[in-house]
Amino acid sequence: KQEVTQIPAALSVPEGENLVLNCSFTDSAIYNLQWFRQDPGKGLTSLLLIQSSQREQTSGRLNASLDKSSGRSTLYIAASQPGDSATYLCAVRPGNDYKLSFGAGTTVTVRA
Amino acid sequence: GAGVSQSPSNKVTEKGKDVELRCDPISGHTALYWYRQRLGQGLEFLIYFQGNSAPDKSGLPSDRFSAERTGESVSTLTIQRTQQEDSAVYLCASSPRQATTGNTIYFGEGSWLTVV
């Protein structure tokens, strides 16, 4: 069974600092990995999707890397802003299945 | 519509009552998922629909839970005889043909259920 772990569970940084969020998974036979953002009381917003054949994806201040062999993905957020405060979730889709396995998330607070 | 739409957005119900939650996926998306998220916890898979194939109901926690989908459109999740432990946000998501590369999954805002 795929296990997805996100460390740390919570993170507080001053505005302007770069954020590094980690996601690890136990089964490297994945189809893709997706990062989501969840604001309090809201649903999930897709940030980046990385296919298993890719090493990274970038969108604006966000960059996600994938090292499938070691079972790791990292989400980098450059020059953090208070508006980046949210919970960030990673989800892995297995190579032979459609059910996503989610991590418990990292809750980020960016202090002004 | 432009995104996945869920209704009601909030529902407070008395223990023992039945509730029905609705999801309108993005037009053209053949795959539809229901997930549950209890307060402070991760997402739990409930059920998956893909086109006209038989749904994967393996995540439904009990026989009080059921879900239907008409073709590739609206889905309803029904919880009978609600219990307090059913209190959670129920999230619906859709994606294009699941076998296609680049198939991002899109979530709705969720239906927040409170059983009192």
Side-chain angles (χ1 to χ4, degrees), chain B residues 39-78:
Chain B
L39 188 63
Q41 299 187 21
L43 274 73
E44 303 171 68
F45 168 79
L46 296 178
I47 188 168
Y48 169 80
F49 295 90
Q50 173 60 45
N52 293 316
S53 301
D56 178 348
K57 303 181 179 182
S58 61
L60 295 178
S62 77
D63 59 8
R64 296 186 296 104
F65 288 72
S66 62
E68 300 292 332
R69 187 183 186 192
T70 306
E72 296 182 354
S73 60
V74 171
S75 175
T76 55
L77 176 68
T78 301

Side-chain angles (χ1 to χ4, degrees), chain A residues 37-45, chain B residues 37 89 91 107-110 112:
Chain A
R37 169 185 171 137
Q38 186 174 32
D39 291 285
K42 299 287 188 180
L44 277 67
T45 301
Chain B
Q37 186 179 30
V89 58
L91 292 160
F107 279 82
E109 294 277 292
W112 298 75

Side-chain angles (χ1 to χ4, degrees), chain A residues 37-96:
Chain A
R37 169 185 171 137
Q38 186 174 32
D39 291 285
K42 299 287 188 180
L44 277 67
T45 301
S46 177
L47 297 174
L48 290 166
L49 179 144
I50 310 176
Q51 300 298 337
S52 61
S53 58
Q54 297 175 322
R55 284 194 166 270
E56 67 177 340
Q57 279 287 342
T58 299
S59 176
R61 294 184 294 112
L62 305 180
N63 175 277
S65 66
L66 174 64
D67 184 341
K68 200 173 72 162
S69 61
S70 66
R72 293 179 185 174
S73 177
T74 303
L75 178 66
Y76 302 89
I77 304 177
S80 61
Q81 303 169 359
D84 294 329
S85 298
T87 297
Y88 292 83
L89 298 159
C90 73
V92 171
R93 188 184 150 205
N96 61 351

